[in-house]
Amino acid sequence: MKQAESTPTLFSRLRVVLVETSRPGNIGSVARAMKTMGFGELVLVAPRFEGALEHEEAVAFASGAQDILANARIVDDIGAALEGINFAAAVSARLREFSPPVLTPRALAGQVAASPELHTALIFGNERFGLPNEIVERCNVLVNIPANPDYSSLNLAQAAQLLVYECRMAALDGQRAASQVGFHGEAASVAQIDGMYAHLEQALVAVGFLDADNPRKLMPRLKRLFARTQLETEEVNILRGIARQILARCPPRD
């Protein structure tokens, strides 16, 4: 029993990240959506107006969830927002050519609820422009809401409400995604995986497999490939060790 009680629940392992939000009301509404479903960690990346967490409209739309705003953090970039995260989920209505694996909200919720070693971030983009490709490509999965294809427009807060609802249901009911295998080791953090990509790119340039001046789509394709594997820390270390040995034998070209 003590072991079960010490296992972190999804309610303490889930972070909501809003990137460059334009409207204070949406920030307050997302805070309200989170609180109604039992989640509390909110991070804002470079909101497009000053005083985002104290803005009158944000406070009004939070409607009883002002504590979520009071405890929220504002950071300058996505790297800071993902510190301590080892499973990043980009939420987007737009599919990308080189996106990570695509999941529905329900499949995503089942997967992260069933994996207590995953510290998960749900990442939502700007109301008008969504998430840039460089953020999507560094995530483990892309979450796409299977809305009406003739009218798939969802407000930011509506999308957040849907995601945290599914996560709550999965956390309470013990749902698991059908394809979930589970990790045998510690899941690698986003920062560890980013470091691996940089190291691997250096090695590929050194051996002449990647032309740094004309990289084409090689690195996005490799990122998509590795995103499907759900890398563990030890696996990242192995890949970096391979890159290190390549660079020892083939120093970077000038």
Side-chain angles (χ1 to χ4, degrees):
M1 179 64 68
K2 289 183 180 179
Q3 183 177 1
E5 291 176 350
S6 64
T7 301
T9 69
L10 183 56
F11 297 104
S12 64
R13 295 187 284 107
L14 186 76
R15 178 183 303 170
V16 174
V17 177
L18 304 183
V19 178
E20 297 186 358
T21 312
S22 297
R23 298 184 178 180
N26 280 332
I27 294 173
S29 295
V30 169
R32 182 178 181 179
M34 292 171 60
K35 186 165 185 178
T36 61
M37 294 298 134
F39 299 98
E41 188 176 2
L42 176 63
V43 177
L44 309 183
V45 178
R48 295 192 171 187
F49 53 93
E50 297 292 330
L53 297 174
E54 299 82 23
H55 194 283
E56 181 181 358
E57 185 176 303
V59 173
F61 277 67
S63 186
Q66 286 85 357
D67 56 322
I68 305 294
L69 296 180
N71 293 317
R73 295 184 291 121
I74 296 178
V75 298
D76 294 330
D77 55 55
I78 191 65
L82 296 181
E83 288 180 1
I85 293 296
N86 56 21
F87 195 80
V91 182
S92 177
R94 181 165 57 92
L95 300 178
R96 322 295 171 97
E97 182 182 3
F98 295 104
S99 82
V102 179
L103 296 181
T104 65
R106 188 160 299 174
L108 178 278
Q111 180 169 331
V112 298
S115 304
E117 72 282 358
L118 294 184
H119 292 267
T120 301
L122 299 178
I123 308 171
F124 298 86
N126 174 265
E127 295 92 331
R128 182 176 178 184
F129 302 107
L131 286 170
N133 288 336
E134 56 267 26
I135 290 181
V136 174
E137 288 175 3
R138 72 187 297 184
C139 290
N140 300 89
V141 296
L142 185 148
V143 181
N144 183 260
I145 298 170
N148 176 6
D150 294 326
Y151 187 71
S152 60
S153 176
L154 274 176
N155 171 269
L156 170 60
Q158 292 173 328
Q161 182 74 77
L162 193 154
L163 264 293
V164 294
Y165 166 78
E166 291 289 355
C167 287
R168 178 176 180 82
M169 294 304 296
L172 294 178
D173 299 340
Q175 296 176 353
R176 282 173 168 79
S179 61
Q180 173 65 18
V181 175
F183 292 99
H184 298 289
E186 179 185 358
S189 70
V190 174
Q192 288 172 328
I193 293 173
D194 283 346
M196 180 206 73
Y197 287 144
H199 206 168
L200 185 59
E201 185 172 357
Q202 282 184 298
L204 293 175
V205 171
V207 297
F209 189 78
L210 172 64
D211 183 353
D213 296 324
N214 188 25
R216 297 183 182 274
K217 302 291 186 179
L218 177 61
M219 288 311 297
R221 286 185 183 277
L222 286 175
K223 290 179 180 180
R224 182 174 63 174
L225 183 156
F226 284 119
R228 292 198 297 269
T229 69
Q230 298 176 4
L231 287 164
E232 300 171 9
T233 299
E234 185 59 30
E235 293 166 342
V236 166
N237 291 338
I238 290 170
L239 290 167
R240 295 198 71 164
I242 294 171
R244 191 177 301 112
Q245 289 299 314
I246 291 173
L247 289 168
R249 290 163 172 74
C250 304
R253 300 178 179 185
D254 295 331

PDB file of all heavy atoms in Angstrom, residues 206-234:
ATOM      1  N   ALA A 206      30.336  15.219 -39.452  1.00  0.00           N
ATOM      2  CA  ALA A 206      31.747  14.823 -39.431  1.00  0.00           C
ATOM      3  C   ALA A 206      32.030  13.669 -40.389  1.00  0.00           C
ATOM      4  O   ALA A 206      33.092  13.628 -41.034  1.00  0.00           O
ATOM      5  CB  ALA A 206      32.166  14.437 -38.010  1.00  0.00           C
ATOM      6  N   VAL A 207      31.095  12.727 -40.506  1.00  0.00           N
ATOM      7  CA  VAL A 207      31.332  11.581 -41.398  1.00  0.00           C
ATOM      8  C   VAL A 207      30.854  11.848 -42.820  1.00  0.00           C
ATOM      9  O   VAL A 207      30.948  10.987 -43.686  1.00  0.00           O
ATOM     10  CB  VAL A 207      30.656  10.298 -40.858  1.00  0.00           C
ATOM     11  CG1 VAL A 207      31.245   9.896 -39.525  1.00  0.00           C
ATOM     12  CG2 VAL A 207      29.153  10.446 -40.771  1.00  0.00           C
ATOM     13  N   GLY A 208      30.320  13.037 -43.069  1.00  0.00           N
ATOM     14  CA  GLY A 208      29.898  13.401 -44.412  1.00  0.00           C
ATOM     15  C   GLY A 208      28.526  12.906 -44.806  1.00  0.00           C
ATOM     16  O   GLY A 208      28.128  13.033 -45.966  1.00  0.00           O
ATOM     17  N   PHE A 209      27.765  12.345 -43.852  1.00  0.00           N
ATOM     18  CA  PHE A 209      26.423  11.861 -44.173  1.00  0.00           C
ATOM     19  C   PHE A 209      25.431  13.016 -44.257  1.00  0.00           C
ATOM     20  O   PHE A 209      24.451  12.942 -45.002  1.00  0.00           O
ATOM     21  CB  PHE A 209      25.963  10.853 -43.115  1.00  0.00           C
ATOM     22  CG  PHE A 209      24.692  10.143 -43.466  1.00  0.00           C
ATOM     23  CD1 PHE A 209      24.693   9.097 -44.376  1.00  0.00           C
ATOM     24  CD2 PHE A 209      23.491  10.522 -42.892  1.00  0.00           C
ATOM     25  CE1 PHE A 209      23.519   8.444 -44.711  1.00  0.00           C
ATOM     26  CE2 PHE A 209      22.310   9.873 -43.226  1.00  0.00           C
ATOM     27  CZ  PHE A 209      22.328   8.830 -44.139  1.00  0.00           C
ATOM     28  N   LEU A 210      25.700  14.072 -43.500  1.00  0.00           N
ATOM     29  CA  LEU A 210      24.835  15.252 -43.495  1.00  0.00           C
ATOM     30  C   LEU A 210      25.638  16.453 -43.964  1.00  0.00           C
ATOM     31  O   LEU A 210      26.721  16.725 -43.437  1.00  0.00           O
ATOM     32  CB  LEU A 210      24.272  15.508 -42.085  1.00  0.00           C
ATOM     33  CG  LEU A 210      23.494  16.812 -41.867  1.00  0.00           C
ATOM     34  CD1 LEU A 210      22.224  16.819 -42.711  1.00  0.00           C
ATOM     35  CD2 LEU A 210      23.140  16.984 -40.397  1.00  0.00           C
ATOM     36  N   ASP A 211      25.123  17.149 -44.960  1.00  0.00           N
ATOM     37  CA  ASP A 211      25.740  18.379 -45.456  1.00  0.00           C
ATOM     38  C   ASP A 211      25.168  19.538 -44.658  1.00  0.00           C
ATOM     39  O   ASP A 211      23.992  19.873 -44.788  1.00  0.00           O
ATOM     40  CB  ASP A 211      25.441  18.546 -46.942  1.00  0.00           C
ATOM     41  CG  ASP A 211      26.114  19.784 -47.536  1.00  0.00           C
ATOM     42  OD1 ASP A 211      26.702  20.578 -46.763  1.00  0.00           O
ATOM     43  OD2 ASP A 211      26.034  19.970 -48.756  1.00  0.00           O
ATOM     44  N   ALA A 212      25.985  20.154 -43.818  1.00  0.00           N
ATOM     45  CA  ALA A 212      25.501  21.228 -42.947  1.00  0.00           C
ATOM     46  C   ALA A 212      24.983  22.414 -43.737  1.00  0.00           C
ATOM     47  O   ALA A 212      24.109  23.149 -43.262  1.00  0.00           O
ATOM     48  CB  ALA A 212      26.621  21.672 -42.007  1.00  0.00           C
ATOM     49  N   ASP A 213      25.489  22.599 -44.953  1.00  0.00           N
ATOM     50  CA  ASP A 213      25.045  23.728 -45.770  1.00  0.00           C
ATOM     51  C   ASP A 213      23.787  23.405 -46.577  1.00  0.00           C
ATOM     52  O   ASP A 213      23.166  24.297 -47.141  1.00  0.00           O
ATOM     53  CB  ASP A 213      26.168  24.146 -46.735  1.00  0.00           C
ATOM     54  CG  ASP A 213      27.389  24.661 -45.992  1.00  0.00           C
ATOM     55  OD1 ASP A 213      27.196  25.330 -44.949  1.00  0.00           O
ATOM     56  OD2 ASP A 213      28.510  24.378 -46.434  1.00  0.00           O
ATOM     57  N   ASN A 214      23.462  22.142 -46.659  1.00  0.00           N
ATOM     58  CA  ASN A 214      22.264  21.729 -47.402  1.00  0.00           C
ATOM     59  C   ASN A 214      21.624  20.528 -46.695  1.00  0.00           C
ATOM     60  O   ASN A 214      21.605  19.415 -47.216  1.00  0.00           O
ATOM     61  CB  ASN A 214      22.649  21.371 -48.843  1.00  0.00           C
ATOM     62  CG  ASN A 214      21.421  21.123 -49.714  1.00  0.00           C
ATOM     63  OD1 ASN A 214      20.339  21.624 -49.451  1.00  0.00           O
ATOM     64  ND2 ASN A 214      21.607  20.318 -50.749  1.00  0.00           N
ATOM     65  N   PRO A 215      21.092  20.766 -45.477  1.00  0.00           N
ATOM     66  CA  PRO A 215      20.650  19.643 -44.636  1.00  0.00           C
ATOM     67  C   PRO A 215      19.372  18.969 -45.098  1.00  0.00           C
ATOM     68  O   PRO A 215      19.065  17.866 -44.679  1.00  0.00           O
ATOM     69  CB  PRO A 215      20.455  20.303 -43.270  1.00  0.00           C
ATOM     70  CG  PRO A 215      20.134  21.731 -43.593  1.00  0.00           C
ATOM     71  CD  PRO A 215      20.951  22.060 -44.811  1.00  0.00           C
ATOM     72  N   ARG A 216      18.608  19.646 -45.965  1.00  0.00           N
ATOM     73  CA  ARG A 216      17.326  19.121 -46.430  1.00  0.00           C
ATOM     74  C   ARG A 216      16.441  18.746 -45.239  1.00  0.00           C
ATOM     75  O   ARG A 216      16.255  19.527 -44.333  1.00  0.00           O
ATOM     76  CB  ARG A 216      17.534  17.953 -47.396  1.00  0.00           C
ATOM     77  CG  ARG A 216      18.280  18.347 -48.672  1.00  0.00           C
ATOM     78  CD  ARG A 216      18.405  17.191 -49.637  1.00  0.00           C
ATOM     79  NE  ARG A 216      19.159  17.576 -50.826  1.00  0.00           N
ATOM     80  CZ  ARG A 216      18.628  18.144 -51.897  1.00  0.00           C
ATOM     81  NH1 ARG A 216      17.318  18.379 -51.928  1.00  0.00           N
ATOM     82  NH2 ARG A 216      19.377  18.475 -52.929  1.00  0.00           N
ATOM     83  N   LYS A 217      15.911  17.532 -45.220  1.00  0.00           N
ATOM     84  CA  LYS A 217      14.948  17.146 -44.181  1.00  0.00           C
ATOM     85  C   LYS A 217      15.481  16.030 -43.288  1.00  0.00           C
ATOM     86  O   LYS A 217      14.703  15.369 -42.603  1.00  0.00           O
ATOM     87  CB  LYS A 217      13.641  16.674 -44.835  1.00  0.00           C
ATOM     88  CG  LYS A 217      12.973  17.703 -45.729  1.00  0.00           C
ATOM     89  CD  LYS A 217      12.409  18.869 -44.934  1.00  0.00           C
ATOM     90  CE  LYS A 217      11.616  19.814 -45.832  1.00  0.00           C
ATOM     91  NZ  LYS A 217      11.035  20.937 -45.089  1.00  0.00           N
ATOM     92  N   LEU A 218      16.788  15.802 -43.304  1.00  0.00           N
ATOM     93  CA  LEU A 218      17.320  14.649 -42.583  1.00  0.00           C
ATOM     94  C   LEU A 218      17.042  14.721 -41.080  1.00  0.00           C
ATOM     95  O   LEU A 218      16.530  13.762 -40.492  1.00  0.00           O
ATOM     96  CB  LEU A 218      18.827  14.517 -42.821  1.00  0.00           C
ATOM     97  CG  LEU A 218      19.499  13.368 -42.051  1.00  0.00           C
ATOM     98  CD1 LEU A 218      18.907  12.024 -42.460  1.00  0.00           C
ATOM     99  CD2 LEU A 218      21.010  13.374 -42.273  1.00  0.00           C
ATOM    100  N   MET A 219      17.382  15.847 -40.427  1.00  0.00           N
ATOM    101  CA  MET A 219      17.211  15.918 -38.981  1.00  0.00           C
ATOM    102  C   MET A 219      15.737  15.871 -38.572  1.00  0.00           C
ATOM    103  O   MET A 219      15.392  15.152 -37.620  1.00  0.00           O
ATOM    104  CB  MET A 219      17.902  17.156 -38.418  1.00  0.00           C
ATOM    105  CG  MET A 219      19.422  17.072 -38.426  1.00  0.00           C
ATOM    106  SD  MET A 219      20.102  15.533 -37.731  1.00  0.00           S
ATOM    107  CE  MET A 219      19.528  15.645 -36.030  1.00  0.00           C
ATOM    108  N   PRO A 220      14.831  16.568 -39.260  1.00  0.00           N
ATOM    109  CA  PRO A 220      13.413  16.394 -38.899  1.00  0.00           C
ATOM    110  C   PRO A 220      12.933  14.956 -39.037  1.00  0.00           C
ATOM    111  O   PRO A 220      12.142  14.471 -38.223  1.00  0.00           O
ATOM    112  CB  PRO A 220      12.683  17.328 -39.882  1.00  0.00           C
ATOM    113  CG  PRO A 220      13.678  18.388 -40.197  1.00  0.00           C
ATOM    114  CD  PRO A 220      15.001  17.683 -40.211  1.00  0.00           C
ATOM    115  N   ARG A 221      13.431  14.250 -40.060  1.00  0.00           N
ATOM    116  CA  ARG A 221      13.031  12.847 -40.223  1.00  0.00           C
ATOM    117  C   ARG A 221      13.579  11.983 -39.088  1.00  0.00           C
ATOM    118  O   ARG A 221      12.894  11.084 -38.572  1.00  0.00           O
ATOM    119  CB  ARG A 221      13.523  12.310 -41.572  1.00  0.00           C
ATOM    120  CG  ARG A 221      12.736  12.820 -42.767  1.00  0.00           C
ATOM    121  CD  ARG A 221      13.206  12.152 -44.055  1.00  0.00           C
ATOM    122  NE  ARG A 221      12.514  12.676 -45.219  1.00  0.00           N
ATOM    123  CZ  ARG A 221      11.311  12.282 -45.636  1.00  0.00           C
ATOM    124  NH1 ARG A 221      10.680  11.351 -44.963  1.00  0.00           N
ATOM    125  NH2 ARG A 221      10.761  12.806 -46.706  1.00  0.00           N
ATOM    126  N   LEU A 222      14.824  12.237 -38.688  1.00  0.00           N
ATOM    127  CA  LEU A 222      15.396  11.483 -37.576  1.00  0.00           C
ATOM    128  C   LEU A 222      14.652  11.776 -36.279  1.00  0.00           C
ATOM    129  O   LEU A 222      14.432  10.870 -35.464  1.00  0.00           O
ATOM    130  CB  LEU A 222      16.882  11.811 -37.427  1.00  0.00           C
ATOM    131  CG  LEU A 222      17.814  11.205 -38.480  1.00  0.00           C
ATOM    132  CD1 LEU A 222      19.229  11.705 -38.285  1.00  0.00           C
ATOM    133  CD2 LEU A 222      17.767   9.682 -38.419  1.00  0.00           C
ATOM    134  N   LYS A 223      14.277  13.033 -36.083  1.00  0.00           N
ATOM    135  CA  LYS A 223      13.521  13.377 -34.878  1.00  0.00           C
ATOM    136  C   LYS A 223      12.179  12.658 -34.850  1.00  0.00           C
ATOM    137  O   LYS A 223      11.731  12.175 -33.801  1.00  0.00           O
ATOM    138  CB  LYS A 223      13.322  14.892 -34.798  1.00  0.00           C
ATOM    139  CG  LYS A 223      14.596  15.669 -34.496  1.00  0.00           C
ATOM    140  CD  LYS A 223      14.359  17.166 -34.457  1.00  0.00           C
ATOM    141  CE  LYS A 223      15.644  17.914 -34.168  1.00  0.00           C
ATOM    142  NZ  LYS A 223      15.430  19.391 -34.116  1.00  0.00           N
ATOM    143  N   ARG A 224      11.544  12.577 -36.002  1.00  0.00           N
ATOM    144  CA  ARG A 224      10.265  11.867 -36.072  1.00  0.00           C
ATOM    145  C   ARG A 224      10.466  10.381 -35.782  1.00  0.00           C
ATOM    146  O   ARG A 224       9.674   9.758 -35.076  1.00  0.00           O
ATOM    147  CB  ARG A 224       9.627  12.060 -37.447  1.00  0.00           C
ATOM    148  CG  ARG A 224       8.251  11.391 -37.575  1.00  0.00           C
ATOM    149  CD  ARG A 224       7.585  11.716 -38.890  1.00  0.00           C
ATOM    150  NE  ARG A 224       8.326  11.211 -40.039  1.00  0.00           N
ATOM    151  CZ  ARG A 224       7.886  11.264 -41.287  1.00  0.00           C
ATOM    152  NH1 ARG A 224       6.713  11.829 -41.547  1.00  0.00           N
ATOM    153  NH2 ARG A 224       8.604  10.789 -42.274  1.00  0.00           N
ATOM    154  N   LEU A 225      11.549   9.814 -36.307  1.00  0.00           N
ATOM    155  CA  LEU A 225      11.844   8.402 -36.067  1.00  0.00           C
ATOM    156  C   LEU A 225      12.033   8.136 -34.573  1.00  0.00           C
ATOM    157  O   LEU A 225      11.435   7.216 -34.008  1.00  0.00           O
ATOM    158  CB  LEU A 225      13.097   8.013 -36.857  1.00  0.00           C
ATOM    159  CG  LEU A 225      13.565   6.554 -36.817  1.00  0.00           C
ATOM    160  CD1 LEU A 225      14.390   6.250 -38.068  1.00  0.00           C
ATOM    161  CD2 LEU A 225      14.404   6.243 -35.582  1.00  0.00           C
ATOM    162  N   PHE A 226      12.885   8.952 -33.928  1.00  0.00           N
ATOM    163  CA  PHE A 226      13.170   8.722 -32.510  1.00  0.00           C
ATOM    164  C   PHE A 226      11.961   9.038 -31.628  1.00  0.00           C
ATOM    165  O   PHE A 226      11.803   8.440 -30.559  1.00  0.00           O
ATOM    166  CB  PHE A 226      14.380   9.542 -32.074  1.00  0.00           C
ATOM    167  CG  PHE A 226      15.697   8.967 -32.532  1.00  0.00           C
ATOM    168  CD1 PHE A 226      16.537   9.680 -33.356  1.00  0.00           C
ATOM    169  CD2 PHE A 226      16.079   7.687 -32.137  1.00  0.00           C
ATOM    170  CE1 PHE A 226      17.744   9.153 -33.778  1.00  0.00           C
ATOM    171  CE2 PHE A 226      17.284   7.148 -32.559  1.00  0.00           C
ATOM    172  CZ  PHE A 226      18.123   7.876 -33.381  1.00  0.00           C
ATOM    173  N   ALA A 227      11.118   9.966 -32.053  1.00  0.00           N
ATOM    174  CA  ALA A 227       9.929  10.288 -31.270  1.00  0.00           C
ATOM    175  C   ALA A 227       9.019   9.075 -31.124  1.00  0.00           C
ATOM    176  O   ALA A 227       8.321   8.919 -30.117  1.00  0.00           O
ATOM    177  CB  ALA A 227       9.159  11.446 -31.906  1.00  0.00           C
ATOM    178  N   ARG A 228       9.015   8.203 -32.130  1.00  0.00           N
ATOM    179  CA  ARG A 228       8.168   7.009 -32.073  1.00  0.00           C
ATOM    180  C   ARG A 228       8.689   5.983 -31.062  1.00  0.00           C
ATOM    181  O   ARG A 228       7.949   5.088 -30.652  1.00  0.00           O
ATOM    182  CB  ARG A 228       8.072   6.358 -33.462  1.00  0.00           C
ATOM    183  CG  ARG A 228       7.319   7.182 -34.478  1.00  0.00           C
ATOM    184  CD  ARG A 228       6.878   6.316 -35.667  1.00  0.00           C
ATOM    185  NE  ARG A 228       7.984   5.767 -36.412  1.00  0.00           N
ATOM    186  CZ  ARG A 228       8.559   6.357 -37.459  1.00  0.00           C
ATOM    187  NH1 ARG A 228       8.124   7.543 -37.872  1.00  0.00           N
ATOM    188  NH2 ARG A 228       9.553   5.782 -38.110  1.00  0.00           N
ATOM    189  N   THR A 229       9.948   6.107 -30.652  1.00  0.00           N
ATOM    190  CA  THR A 229      10.537   5.098 -29.772  1.00  0.00           C
ATOM    191  C   THR A 229      10.350   5.416 -28.302  1.00  0.00           C
ATOM    192  O   THR A 229      10.568   4.557 -27.456  1.00  0.00           O
ATOM    193  CB  THR A 229      12.044   4.961 -30.040  1.00  0.00           C
ATOM    194  OG1 THR A 229      12.716   6.153 -29.610  1.00  0.00           O
ATOM    195  CG2 THR A 229      12.317   4.720 -31.512  1.00  0.00           C
ATOM    196  N   GLN A 230      10.005   6.650 -27.948  1.00  0.00           N
ATOM    197  CA  GLN A 230       9.875   7.068 -26.545  1.00  0.00           C
ATOM    198  C   GLN A 230      11.168   6.743 -25.791  1.00  0.00           C
ATOM    199  O   GLN A 230      11.229   5.872 -24.926  1.00  0.00           O
ATOM    200  CB  GLN A 230       8.663   6.412 -25.893  1.00  0.00           C
ATOM    201  CG  GLN A 230       7.361   6.802 -26.563  1.00  0.00           C
ATOM    202  CD  GLN A 230       6.165   6.081 -25.998  1.00  0.00           C
ATOM    203  OE1 GLN A 230       6.270   5.326 -25.036  1.00  0.00           O
ATOM    204  NE2 GLN A 230       5.016   6.304 -26.587  1.00  0.00           N
ATOM    205  N   LEU A 231      12.208   7.460 -26.131  1.00  0.00           N
ATOM    206  CA  LEU A 231      13.559   7.173 -25.658  1.00  0.00           C
ATOM    207  C   LEU A 231      13.690   7.225 -24.139  1.00  0.00           C
ATOM    208  O   LEU A 231      13.125   8.084 -23.469  1.00  0.00           O
ATOM    209  CB  LEU A 231      14.531   8.186 -26.269  1.00  0.00           C
ATOM    210  CG  LEU A 231      14.839   8.003 -27.755  1.00  0.00           C
ATOM    211  CD1 LEU A 231      15.485   9.264 -28.311  1.00  0.00           C
ATOM    212  CD2 LEU A 231      15.740   6.798 -27.979  1.00  0.00           C
ATOM    213  N   GLU A 232      14.477   6.296 -23.621  1.00  0.00           N
ATOM    214  CA  GLU A 232      14.844   6.288 -22.215  1.00  0.00           C
ATOM    215  C   GLU A 232      16.202   6.964 -22.050  1.00  0.00           C
ATOM    216  O   GLU A 232      16.976   7.095 -23.005  1.00  0.00           O
ATOM    217  CB  GLU A 232      14.899   4.854 -21.696  1.00  0.00           C
ATOM    218  CG  GLU A 232      13.565   4.123 -21.815  1.00  0.00           C
ATOM    219  CD  GLU A 232      13.684   2.646 -21.503  1.00  0.00           C
ATOM    220  OE1 GLU A 232      14.761   2.208 -21.025  1.00  0.00           O
ATOM    221  OE2 GLU A 232      12.691   1.925 -21.724  1.00  0.00           O
ATOM    222  N   THR A 233      16.509   7.380 -20.816  1.00  0.00           N
ATOM    223  CA  THR A 233      17.771   8.080 -20.546  1.00  0.00           C
ATOM    224  C   THR A 233      18.970   7.248 -20.970  1.00  0.00           C
ATOM    225  O   THR A 233      19.911   7.757 -21.594  1.00  0.00           O
ATOM    226  CB  THR A 233      17.877   8.417 -19.050  1.00  0.00           C
ATOM    227  OG1 THR A 233      16.801   9.277 -18.689  1.00  0.00           O
ATOM    228  CG2 THR A 233      19.193   9.103 -18.735  1.00  0.00           C
ATOM    229  N   GLU A 234      18.971   5.963 -20.663  1.00  0.00           N
ATOM    230  CA  GLU A 234      20.100   5.110 -21.012  1.00  0.00           C
ATOM    231  C   GLU A 234      20.251   4.997 -22.520  1.00  0.00           C
ATOM    232  O   GLU A 234      21.379   4.949 -23.049  1.00  0.00           O
ATOM    233  CB  GLU A 234      19.926   3.725 -20.390  1.00  0.00           C
ATOM    234  CG  GLU A 234      21.113   2.795 -20.586  1.00  0.00           C
ATOM    235  CD  GLU A 234      22.407   3.342 -19.997  1.00  0.00           C
ATOM    236  OE1 GLU A 234      22.347   4.096 -18.993  1.00  0.00           O
ATOM    237  OE2 GLU A 234      23.488   3.028 -20.550  1.00  0.00           O
TER     238      GLU A 234
END
